Amino acid sequence: MNYQAYIEKFRPSRIKKAIVAEITAANNTNSVIALSLALGAFIAFSPTWGFQTALAISLAVLLRLNKVLVLVTVNISSIPPLIPLILIAGYQTGAFVLTGQFQTEVPDLMNLKTLGENYLQFALGSLIVASGVGSLFYLVILLLLKRFR
């Protein structure tokens, strides 16, 4: 097997081209496309680690959204540099909501025991962050689609 040719398929420029092609060729309205991307972003930032893909596909089928676009954005949380940022954003937002201030020291959230001890704070904050990110995705994508599609 030619691994170089296989790896070539996953270059960022080819992935970007495939995503743009899916958006422009999608036989959906602008609001359905924007909602599909926003749902994926919401699930990516929500505290549903471990079953995000299953949840994304289930909700996309239930809500009759574009499943490919939902899956594209739900995988944002799988990008390694973003994982700690997503965890910290949820944790600090939860701390602010529960105590009225951000915490100066953030525990090691990559440790499951530590994350479990702070799960309420993390889950609450993550849902708030996910709602904001999902709403922002919806508005920005809808405006871009209205302008360029």
Side-chain angles (χ1 to χ4, degrees):
M1 174 177 224
N2 184 355
Y3 291 107
Q4 188 67 26
Y6 183 74
I7 292 172
E8 187 73 19
K9 292 179 183 179
F10 295 103
R11 283 196 352 230
S13 61
R14 290 187 67 142
I15 293 171
K16 178 184 173 188
K17 188 183 285 187
I19 293 169
V20 169
E22 180 65 31
I23 291 172
T24 56
N27 193 16
N28 299 113
T29 64
N30 289 347
S31 60
V32 168
I33 293 171
L35 191 58
S36 298
L37 293 168
L39 177 66
F42 173 81
I43 294 171
F45 282 80
S46 69
T48 57
W49 296 73
F51 61 97
Q52 289 176 327
T53 304
L55 181 63
I57 291 172
S58 300
L59 287 175
V61 169
L62 183 68
L63 299 173
R64 297 181 185 185
L65 300 175
N66 187 314
K67 290 163 266 325
V68 173
L69 295 177
V70 171
L71 287 175
V72 165
T73 51
V74 80
N75 285 311
I76 290 172
S77 63
S78 299
I79 300 172
L82 291 181
I83 295 169
L85 296 175
I86 293 170
L87 290 172
I88 291 170
Y91 183 79
Q92 288 288 26
T93 303
F96 186 77
V97 169
L98 293 175
T99 66
Q101 60 187 2
F102 294 110
Q103 292 188 346
T104 56
E105 291 185 27
V106 178
D108 179 19
L109 297 174
M110 299 303 279
N111 180 340
L112 289 178
K113 182 180 179 197
T114 308
L115 184 60
E117 292 169 355
N118 300 293
Y119 191 73
L120 174 65
Q121 178 176 328
F122 168 70
L124 179 64
S126 291
L127 288 173
I128 293 169
V129 170
S131 298
V133 169
S135 300
L136 184 66
F137 255 72
Y138 180 77
L139 292 174
V140 169
I141 298 298
L142 190 61
L143 290 174
L144 288 173
L145 288 172
K146 284 183 178 181
R147 172 95 166 115
F148 295 109
R149 186 168 186 231

